[in-house]
Amino acid sequence: MGSKKKISVPAKLINGGVAGLVGVSCVFPIDLAKTRLQNQQGQGVYTGMRDCLVKTLRSEGFFGMYRGAAVNLTLVTPEKAIKLAANDFFRQLLSQDRKELTLVREMLAGCGAGACQVVVTSPMEMLKIQLQDAGRLAVHQQKVLGPDGPTAPFSQPPQDRPYTTGTASALRRPSATVIARDLLKTQGLVGLYKGLGVTLLRDVPFSIIYFPLFANINKLGQRHSEKAPFFHSFVSGCVAGSVAAVAVTPLDVLKTRIQTLKKGLGEDTYNGIIDCARKIWTHEGPAAFMKGAGCRALVIAPLFGIAQGVYFIGIGEYILGYFH
């Protein structure tokens, strides 16, 4: 991405992995708030990102804000590595005589990168969302049922969407291992890839917007050297990441709703992308498609800023050079 050196795939994988680990560690609580805000229907538990973080900290403690982080930290390394390395690979593949890529070819390279990453992204997001949303479900149930039991009649939840009753403290905390095992046992590998279609619909447009935008902004800092300075690459990643993140937020809302396995009492369930979009539009209005947009920008901007900064510093090349 701007470098004319031949791609070293192992180095790019290391760069992507390091960047992903550092970025996720910094912004995960905001990502948790994003998931909970997007899953709210009607009169929700939280009024905004700050309210969500404060209430989560009070009711679940500091580590409650990092629910699902283990899954993310485990799988974000291959995810970010695949995304960044694939973009480099497709850019090199589409370049002709090492000339500058046209905007269309840059978008095609981003499209290829987005399509490749969903192999890891889809199951990672599936497991992460269940863990992140567990606290909201507990508070929602307690709010609906009250301390002395149900205040209004509710229909029984579908059998494939079990819902545990009880207070927030009594709810059993889900485990990524248990969720994955149950999905594999009942639905096979398809269960882990629920929402694959909408994940593609989100990640491919994101990459089509992000990578060309980043490359062109970053190019402004390459006037006197082959690589842009670290700070310029960082800012370029932040700007491109935030623009792309906000642009695809409606698709992210759909993905979050579809991949959430457990719904609170009285909350809608969905049967595919069109059904989900129709119900959100009808019951919550068009503004609901932008839920969590601010959180998403605050997550993606530093995440990709750090990723591109690390990528252009060349930590992977340094590590490989040291061992050689």
Side-chain angles (χ1 to χ4, degrees):
M1 286 181 289
S3 175
K4 295 181 181 179
K5 292 194 301 182
K6 186 178 179 181
I7 297 173
S8 168
V9 175
K12 301 305 181 187
L13 293 175
I14 293 172
N15 285 334
V18 170
L21 289 171
V22 174
V24 168
S25 299
C26 294
V27 301
F28 192 82
I30 302 175
D31 185 63
L32 178 138
K34 185 268 300 182
T35 297
R36 293 187 176 186
L37 291 172
Q38 287 183 340
N39 261 331
Q40 289 192 141
Q41 299 180 30
Q43 188 176 1
V45 176
Y46 313 109
T47 58
M49 181 185 71
R50 184 178 178 277
D51 182 57
C52 179
L53 292 174
V54 169
K55 287 180 178 176
T56 300
L57 183 62
R58 287 175 180 171
S59 62
E60 302 171 53
F62 175 78
F63 292 106
M65 296 193 295
Y66 281 87
R67 278 194 181 186
V71 175
N72 231 32
L73 289 171
T74 301
L75 296 178
V76 75
T77 298
E79 185 217 22
K80 286 291 174 285
I82 290 170
K83 188 185 190 84
L84 296 173
N87 181 68
D88 256 4
F89 171 78
F90 285 117
R91 286 179 71 90
Q92 189 179 59
L93 190 67
L94 292 168
S95 65
Q96 297 176 329
D97 301 324
R98 296 189 177 275
K99 292 180 180 178
E100 291 287 333
L101 285 177
T102 63
L103 180 61
V104 172
R105 287 177 180 266
E106 286 183 332
M107 293 173 73
L108 284 173
C111 178
C116 288
Q117 79 167 79
V118 297
V119 175
V120 177
T121 303
S122 192
M124 178 186 76
E125 293 272 311
M126 162 68 83
L127 296 174
K128 182 191 73 172
I129 286 170
Q130 316 315 316
L131 301 174
Q132 287 183 326
D133 201 44
R136 183 197 68 86
L137 281 172
V139 177
H140 170 82
Q141 167 128 333
Q142 193 174 36
K143 182 179 179 181
V144 170
L145 298 179
D148 301 320
T151 56
F154 290 94
S155 60
Q156 290 293 324
Q159 290 183 356
D160 62 336
R161 297 180 184 273
Y163 195 91
T164 308
T165 58
T167 62
S169 60
L171 281 172
R172 180 173 60 86
R173 291 187 178 184
S175 158
T177 306
V178 172
I179 294 170
R181 187 185 64 207
D182 289 348
L183 285 171
L184 289 171
K185 193 179 293 183
T186 57
Q187 302 176 37
L189 195 60
V190 176
L192 279 178
Y193 279 88
K194 181 181 179 181
L196 176 62
V198 73
T199 304
L200 274 168
L201 282 177
R202 181 198 67 169
D203 288 349
V204 169
F206 177 92
S207 296
I208 288 174
I209 296 169
Y210 171 77
F211 283 110
L213 184 58
F214 168 78
N216 284 280
I217 296 174
N218 194 63
K219 199 181 297 178
L220 299 175
Q222 297 175 344
R223 295 171 182 170
H224 305 296
S225 62
E226 187 178 348
K227 282 188 177 182
F230 170 82
F231 183 72
H232 189 89
S233 291
F234 175 80
V235 172
S236 301
C238 287
V239 172
S242 59
V243 170
V246 172
V248 301
T249 295
L251 296 167
D252 189 56
V253 171
L254 293 175
K255 187 196 73 67
T256 301
R257 295 284 183 96
I258 288 171
Q259 286 190 318
T260 301
L261 297 175
K262 289 186 178 183
K263 301 292 185 182
L265 296 173
E267 291 185 339
D268 286 332
T269 58
Y270 309 107
N271 184 28
I273 299 171
I274 296 175
D275 180 60
C276 182
R278 180 180 59 80
K279 285 181 178 176
I280 291 175
W281 182 278
T282 303
H283 300 159
E284 302 173 59
F289 287 101
M290 294 305 292
K291 281 185 176 181
C295 292
R296 203 168 141 68
L298 288 174
V299 168
I300 298 297
L303 187 62
F304 277 85
I306 291 169
Q308 295 297 355
V310 170
Y311 206 68
F312 275 78
I313 284 175
I315 290 178
E317 289 86 341
Y318 176 80
I319 292 174
L320 291 177
Y322 177 81
F323 284 106
H324 287 159

